[in-house]
Amino acid sequence: ANSKTYSGSRLRPHKQFLTVMGERLSWRSACEVGAGKGRQWEWIDPSDGMTMEQAWGFPVVKHDPCWPPFAQEPEGKFDLVICAHTISLIPAEDLEWFTHRLYGFCAKVIFIAEKIGDRKKREVSDPYGRAIGWSADQWINWFRRFGAKYPSVRTVLSVREILPRGRITT
């Protein structure tokens, strides 16, 4: 409980983008899959003095099977499904059904954010057999394939990688 691992804070840099996108697409419900401990929902953005839920005008359903307060699987569909810095930690043999499950929760938009490259802290005890090392192109192709199966859902993928010329977000 005291560990910073899975705090959920990696969603914070995406607040402005998600807020603007939500205004354009008229979201009324959201669910974060892989919410960790949910610290991102307590954070107050100094630029506007609001939490993300306050800025969006509705509570976000938090789900993370690894954190008991959010372990209950959500029911129904949500206008927005968020999966930030989580999907690369899923075992490779579970990645397909997990991705289908994400789309199954979604009515309008899935937002996926992933960091490519080395991680500062050890996030899983066994990193082998996971998509941690996938390139941006691999993630783009993965979600193009799934997006084609769910034409009513928009897929937004933010991939951040460190390249010789600097940090790049695609």
Side-chain angles (χ1 to χ4, degrees):
N2 293 326
S3 168
K4 290 183 180 179
T5 303
Y6 308 117
S7 68
S9 62
R10 290 186 181 166
L11 184 61
R12 292 176 189 171
H14 303 286
K15 179 192 175 201
Q16 183 179 5
F17 173 78
L18 288 169
T19 301
V20 170
M21 192 167 56
E23 290 167 358
R24 289 181 184 167
L25 300 174
S26 302
W27 296 335
R28 298 289 173 246
S29 62
C31 175
E32 184 183 11
V33 177
K37 295 175 184 163
R39 302 286 190 266
Q40 65 279 26
W41 302 107
E42 299 166 0
W43 172 70
I44 297 173
D45 185 343
S47 71
D48 63 9
M50 292 191 279
T51 66
M52 283 187 273
E53 290 174 310
Q54 289 169 334
W56 298 350
F58 57 83
V60 173
V61 173
K62 293 103 180 150
H63 174 56
D64 195 313
C66 297
W67 186 242
F70 302 142
Q72 180 71 36
E73 186 158 312
E75 294 181 15
K77 289 193 178 271
F78 302 89
D79 291 342
L80 169 66
V81 172
I82 302 166
C83 187
H85 307 285
T86 298
I87 199 162
S88 67
L89 302 174
I90 302 298
E93 65 267 12
D94 296 332
L95 197 54
E96 185 139 345
W97 76 257
F98 181 82
T99 307
H100 276 296
R101 193 72 190 113
L102 283 178
Y103 278 90
F105 288 131
C106 191
K108 289 185 179 183
V109 179
I110 287 184
F111 175 78
I112 293 146
E114 272 307 323
K115 177 184 168 195
I116 307 294
D118 294 336
R119 310 243 177 159
K120 290 182 182 176
K121 60 186 173 187
R122 191 170 163 188
E123 296 177 10
V124 292
S125 59
D126 176 18
Y128 304 103
R130 302 190 194 286
I132 290 172
W134 280 18
S135 69
D137 286 339
Q138 285 173 294
W139 283 117
I140 290 166
N141 290 332
W142 180 263
F143 284 103
R144 275 195 181 131
R145 188 181 88 166
F146 277 90
K149 295 175 185 180
Y150 297 89
S152 64
V153 174
R154 293 180 188 199
T155 304
V156 178
L157 174 63
S158 174
V159 179
R160 183 174 181 242
E161 52 189 334
I162 300 172
L163 299 173
R165 63 182 190 265
R167 290 185 171 104
I168 306 295
T169 301
T170 304

